[in-house]
Amino acid sequence: MTAGTVLSLHPAVDELDRLLTQAAEPSGPFAAASLIDLDRQEAFPADACRLLDDFGLHTYYVPAQYGGRLADFAESMRLTRAVAARDLTVAIAHGKTFLGAVSVWLGGRPQQAAWLGAEVCAGAVVSWGLTERHHGSDLFAGELAAVRTGSGWRLSGEKWLINNATRGDLVCVLARTSPTGGPRGFSMFLVDKRRLPADRYRHLDKVYTHGIRGADISGIAFDDAEIPATALVGGVGDGLAITLRALQLTRTACAALSLGAADQALRLAVDFVRGRRLAGRPLAELPPMRRLLGEAAATLLLAEATSLLASRSINALTAEMNVTAAITKAFVPSQVQEMLDTFAEIIGGSGFTAGQPIEEAFEKVHRDHPIVGIFDGSTLVSKNALINQFPRLARSYQDGSPLPWDEAGLREAATVDGHVTEFDPARLSLLSAQGCSVVQALPAAAARLSEQAGTGEVPVGLARMADQLRAAVVGLQRELAEYVPTARDVPAAAFELARRYELCFAGAACVHLWLHNATALRAAVPRDEPTAALWRDGLWLRAALARVLDQLGARRERADLAVHDRLAEQLLRHADDRRPFSLLPGPAAVSA
Amino acid sequence: MAAPTAPVQPIGELERRLGDPWDPANPVGFAAVVAADEQARPLAAGEHILDEYGFGAELVPAEYGGRLTRLDRLIEVMRAVYRRDPALGTGYAAGSLRAAMPVWTAGTAQQRRAVADLLLHNGRISAPLHEPAYGGPTGPAIEAVSDGTGLVLNGRTGPMTGLGRAAALVLPVRTESALGDHPHAQVLIGPAVAATGMHQLPALRTAGVRAVTLGAVQFRDCRVGLDRVLGWPQAGLRIPSTPFLLADPSRLADTVLAAMAVAIVDTGLRTTVRHVTTRKLYGKADVDLPYIRSVLVSAFVDLLVCDAFVTVAARAAHVAPAALDTLAPAVQHALSVRLANTMRQLSVVLGAHFYIREGDRSIFQKLLRDLMPASLGHAGRLSCELAILPHLPGLAGWKATGEPAPPELFRLDADLPPLPQPTPLTGHLPDQLTAALTNCLDTGSGGNAEELRQVRGLAEHFGLELAGIALAAADLPEQETKSMAGPATHELATRYITVLMAGVCVGLWQEEQHRPGSFLADPSWLAAALTRLAAASPAQPAALPEGVEQRLLAELLDRYESARALGVLDTPLAGR
C-alpha cells in the first residue's frame, strides 16, 4: 500500500487544515470564542484574514498563468471549505477577491490579467460591483453608467450590497454603456480605487445583516469618476456575457461555503448529542436522534459528492458549466440549509445561547449560512437558470435513451485524483451544447453498478437504488420533453421539475464518483481511517442515494434508512478525531 | 366575596392601541420594534400600552376580577402583542402566564387572591420559562428539604424573564419526601418573604427575543414557610369554575404560547406579501410570478392548518381538559415543524431583503430569530413524539362509533361549557377529532362539485392513513412506546399528528356549513389544507389545483389589503 497521490490528494488543503486547527487554540485568530465576539461586535475578522494571507490563500484566487496558484478548481474549493468549516464570515470576506477578479481572468487582456494577478498576490483586495439598491439581481436594470471621454470613461452611479466595497482596493464594476441597455448594453470595468480622486467616489454605509455580521457589506458611489481606457475589461458591450461566464465559476465555488457550514454544524451536533440528555439517556443513544445525525451526515456526503464533481467539471466539462453551476448553486446551499434548520430545533430551540459554546457557535453558523443561498444568484435565480436550459436538456434524451455525452470529460470529472485538464475559459459557454453528461451517463452507470452487484462487489441493494434513480431520470426526461417553455410566467411546476433534476444530477454524481474511485480508494486508504468505513460496502453511496430517492418521493426500504444509523455510528465513533467527515481521505492518511 | 370586575374590553382594543405597525412614527410600530431589538432593550412604549390596557387582567380568572374565561380568547388577546413584537410578549406576558396558571389550578383561595391582586394592578410575576428541550445544562434543579416547620431550598432555577420587576415568583421544586406523597410542588415566593439565601445570577444573552433580559435564581439554604407551597395543605381535588383549569397548567401555557407562533408567522407572511406586491423582478411584480404565488398560498395554508389545530386544542381544554396531555405536544410538534419551515420558505422569497437589518422588511429577520424562543423552542419535537407514543397502541381498540367530537369544539364563536362535564370519552377526545374524517362524506352541499370530490377523496385518504397507523401501532411492544423507541415508531407518531390535523380541518369545515358563503365554509381552503397535509414533506410549496390556489391567493391578498388576520379568524388589525 502506497502513500501516493490518492492519499495526499491536495497537500495544500491538508496544510491549511493543520494551520487552522492550530489557529483555533484559545488565543489564536480562529478561536471560536473570539470569532463569536467579533460577530457580536459586527467587527471585521482582520486577524483571521491576515493568517490566511500569510498562508498565501489569496494566491489561489489567481490563475497560474497570471502568477498565482489557481489551476485545480477542486483544490481551491477544498481550501475554501477548510476556512468555512471554521468561520463563514472569514471565508466569505477573504474569498470575495476571487469573485472580484474572475471577470478579468475570463475577459481581460493578458497584460491586464497579469497586472491584476500581481496585485492580488501582493495582497490587494478586489470587490465585484454588480447589484444595485433598487434592482436586486436584475442586472439588465442596472443604472450605474459609464460614458466615454477623451482619455477613458466617466462613471456615475452606485453599487449597493457589495461585499468588500469599502475594504476593497479595486472593484470590478458592471456599468451601462448603452443608454438603451439590453444584452450588449453593459461593460465591465476594473476600477482601481487607489488611483481615484477622493472627491469622485464615496463608500456607502455598512449594511447591517442577519448573519456574517462582521463582513464588509456596503457599497460604493461614483460621482463622475474618471477612469482610464485600460480599465475596460474585454470589449464594450461584453459586460453581461463576461458576468454570466464568471458566475458559472463563482456559483460553483459557493458550494464550498455550504460544505464548510455543514462541517461545522455536524461537528457541533455530534458534540451536543454526546453531552446532553433526554428522557434519562444521553441524546446520542436515542434511536431517532441517531437517525437524524445519520441523515445529516448523508446529506453532507451527498452535497460533497455533488460539489466535488461540479468543481472538477470546471476543468473537465467546461462547456457544460452553465448547467452544472446552476444546479450546484440551487442544490447544495438548500440541502445544507435544511440540515442546519433540522439541527437548529435541537441545538438552538430554546434560543438561550449565553455561555454555551456549542449553542453560540451553532447559532452563528445558522445565521451566517443563508447568505450562500442568496448571493451570487439566489436559489430562485439559479433554478430559473436551470429551467431556461430545459429545452436543450430535454433533447439530451430521446425515447428514454440518452444521446452521446462527453465520456472522457466525465471520467476526468469523476476521478478524484485524476489528471486535471488546464482550464480553458474559451470553452465556457452560455448554452450547454451537449446537455448534461452527468445525467446522460446515469443509465450506463446504473448498469455497471448492477454488474458489480452481480459479482458481489457491491451489495444488491445499491444496484437496486441506482436503478430506481435511473427510472426517476427517465421519467423526468419524459416530463421535460413535454414541458413547454414560456418567456414569462414560469409555471410553478417548472420549479418542481428543476428540483427533481437537481436531485437526479446529485444522485448521478454519487454513482459516477463511486464507479471511478471505489477500487482505488479502498485499496489505498488504511482500514481504520474514517474514510475507509464510508467506502466499505458502498456505505456512503447507499446513504447518499437514500437521501436522493427520499426527496424524489421514491418508495423507501427500511434497510436503506437503516444505513443512516450506520453512518451515525461512524460519526460518533470518530467524534474525538476532529477531522472533517469526508469522502476524501484527510491529512492523517498521509503515511510517512 | 367577589372581587371588583375589570371592564370587559372587546377583542381589538389592544390592537387599536398598538396602532398601525407600518407607520414609521408609531412608537410601537415595526421600525421601533426593530430599533429596540438592535439595542437589545425592551420596547418601553409597548410595555406602557400593556400597562394602560391592564393586560394583567387577561391572565386572571373572572371569578377573581379578571377577564380570563376562555383559553382561545386569551390567545386572541395575546396575539395582538406577538404579531407586533414577540419579545414584548415574552418579556411582559409569558412569564406571568407561566407563573399564573399553576396558581389558578393548584393554589389556595388566598394564594389566588394575592396573585390576582398583583396582576390586576399591573404587577408582574415570573416563573422559569421552560426547561431546555434537549437537556441543556440550565435545567431547574431546586431541591426542597423539610426542616420540621418549613422547607429549605437549594439549587438553581431555569431561565426566567423580568426578575428585576417580578413581585412574585412561582417556582417548581423537587420535594421528594419533604411533603409526604408529592415529589414535586410549586412555591410562591413574594418579596415580603425574607429573601436571604436568594440571589440573582448574571443576565443571560439570547439570539432571539434580544430585548428580553433573562436571569436565573440561585438558592442556598433558603428557608420558606410551608404556606408558600401552592395549594398547601390541600393540594388535592378542586372543581374550578372554569373547566380548563383542570388541565395540567404547563400544558395550558404550552398551548397558549404555541398559538403565538401563528401570530409571529402571520406578520412574517404579511411582510412577504408587502414585499412581493411592491417589488419587481424581471419587469413584473413578484406577486405575479406563479412560483411566488404558490409559496405565498402554501404559507397561508400552513397558517390556517396550524391555527385550526391550536384553536381547537384550546377549546378542547374546556371540554376535556385531560385531552391536552396528548393535544398539547401534538400541537407543539406540528407547529414547530410547519411554521419554522414556512418562515424558511418565505425567507427564500424575500431573498436579500430578509438578510438586511434595515428597511421595512427588517421585522422579518427579527421574527425569524424570535419564533422558537418566543413560542415553541422549549417543546422539543422528540419529547412531543415521546409524549404521544403511549397513546398509539390504543388507537386500534377505539372503535369509530361514529360519535364525533362535541360540535362546540369547532364552532369558533360558540361559548364553551361553564362547568366540567364528566365524559367517559375524555381520554379519547383526540381520536374523536379524527371521526370527522369518516363523517365528511355526507357533508357539504354548496361549493364546487369538483372540489368537494377532492375533499372527500383526501378525507378518505386520511381515514386509511389512520387505519394504517392503528394497525402498525397495535403490535408495538411496550419498549417501543418509551424513550428507546425506534425511528419508525416515531414516524407513526408524526403521521398520527398529521391525521389529527386533517380531522380538525374537516371538523371545522363541517361546522362552518352553518355559515354558508363564509371563507371557511368553502371547500377550497379544506382541499388546500388536506393536500398540504397529505404531501410527503412541507418543504416544497403545495401543488394545488389552479382554482383552489386562485381562491386562496385572492383571500390572502384581500386580508392583506384590508388588514385582517391570516388565521381561521380574520380578526381586524390596525393599519395595513
Side-chain angles (χ1 to χ4, degrees), chain A residues 85-102:
Chain A
R86 309 294 171 161
D87 190 79
L88 222 45
T89 306
V90 177
I92 289 170
H94 196 271
K96 174 68 186 207
T97 293
F98 174 69
L99 274 72
V102 67

Side-chain angles (χ1 to χ4, degrees), chain B residues 316-330:
Chain B
H318 291 263
V319 172
L324 227 52
D325 286 343
T326 311
L327 284 181

